[in-house]
Amino acid sequence: MSTTAPPRALPAVPIAVPRTAPRRRSVAQGALAAVLIIVGALTAAYVAQRIGSTHDFLAVARPVGKGAEITRADLVVVRVNEAVGLRPVAARDSGDVIGKRAVMALVPGTLITLEQVTDTPVPAPGHQLIGLALGEDRMPSASRLTVGAKVLLVVVPKKGADDKAEEGVQGPDLVPPRTITATIISISPGTRSGQTVIDVEVATVDAPTVAALAADDRVVLSLDGS
């Protein structure tokens, strides 16, 4: 009785795996990557330096009206980062600010620049300051008035002069109404409801007239659009 030999197992043949050749970067791509890395590092270093670079500057501690002399009590030292385009006065240069006058109204918390101060007195030579206490019917809305605005002071007729106007006879004050040019220096609330106190700069030659008219309640403030 013959026996059949079991089949022989075939030897395992390794399967060849295709190999992909590694991609080679061109010289230009490598140079560009290196440049981008360097630029990024320099930018990060610059930003870090700017953020970490703080200095002492002068800021406004309390309201200062236009033309007012700046004192040491009006200033406060603050430490802030430098900002491109801003030129605030360094704390060590306070002598360049103290004793000078404000060109404009200074608001607390703002940094001071040399453009905001001047050696020229306010009022300017040949001018005087006059205070006007005006009601709502004698001026435009207070929200439309700003420090430094050019205005006209219109002279109104005396009380009791309306009788002649009703009869067809115009008083001398109305042909034409007299106007006086002025500049607003400061604006503040009055002591009465609806009243606003406005300091104006007028020519010295007009100052006595404006003062007398203001005392007689014969001034209406008109906003000059020129």
Side-chain angles (χ1 to χ4, degrees):
M1 178 175 165
S2 63
T3 59
T4 304
R8 298 177 60 184
L10 298 177
V13 179
I15 300 176
V17 179
R19 301 179 61 184
T20 302
R23 297 177 61 185
R24 295 182 178 178
R25 295 183 178 179
S26 65
V27 176
Q29 289 177 327
L32 177 61
V35 170
L36 292 177
I37 293 174
I38 294 174
V39 171
L42 292 176
T43 302
Y46 175 78
V47 173
Q49 181 181 9
R50 299 297 294 183
I51 293 177
S53 178
T54 59
H55 299 278
D56 291 337
F57 296 103
L58 294 177
V60 183
R62 58 187 183 182
V64 178
K66 178 180 178 181
E69 182 177 342
I70 301 174
T71 66
R72 187 174 299 276
D74 298 324
L75 306 176
V76 63
V77 176
V78 296
R79 177 173 286 271
V80 296
N81 298 328
E82 291 187 4
V84 177
L86 295 181
R87 295 183 298 173
V89 179
R92 63 178 180 274
D93 298 328
S94 60
D96 295 338
V97 176
I98 297 175
K100 294 188 177 181
R101 297 183 180 274
V103 175
M104 62 191 71
L106 303 180
V107 181
T110 57
L111 296 175
I112 292 183
T113 64
L114 291 178
E115 290 76 12
Q116 295 173 320
V117 299
T118 181
D119 290 324
T120 303
V122 179
H127 292 73
Q128 293 186 13
L129 289 181
I130 301 293
L132 305 176
L134 301 177
E136 296 176 345
D137 59 338
R138 298 283 181 171
M139 53 179 283
S141 172
S143 61
R144 298 179 61 87
L145 301 178
T146 58
V147 173
K150 301 295 184 181
V151 296
L152 291 177
L153 306 181
V154 182
V155 179
V156 298
K158 294 181 180 180
K159 296 179 180 179
D162 295 338
D163 296 338
K164 293 183 179 180
E166 292 177 358
E167 297 173 1
V169 180
Q170 292 183 327
D173 287 338
L174 300 179
V175 187
R178 182 183 177 185
T179 60
I180 299 172
T181 59
T183 302
I184 296 179
I185 300 301
S186 65
I187 305 171
S188 59
T191 56
R192 300 177 182 177
S193 176
Q195 186 185 66
T196 303
V197 176
I198 303 175
D199 290 338
V200 295
E201 181 183 79
V202 299
T204 300
V205 66
D206 294 325
T209 301
V210 174
L213 293 171
D216 201 21
D217 194 23
R218 296 182 56 199
V219 173
V220 172
L221 189 145
S222 173
L223 190 59
D224 189 0
S226 59

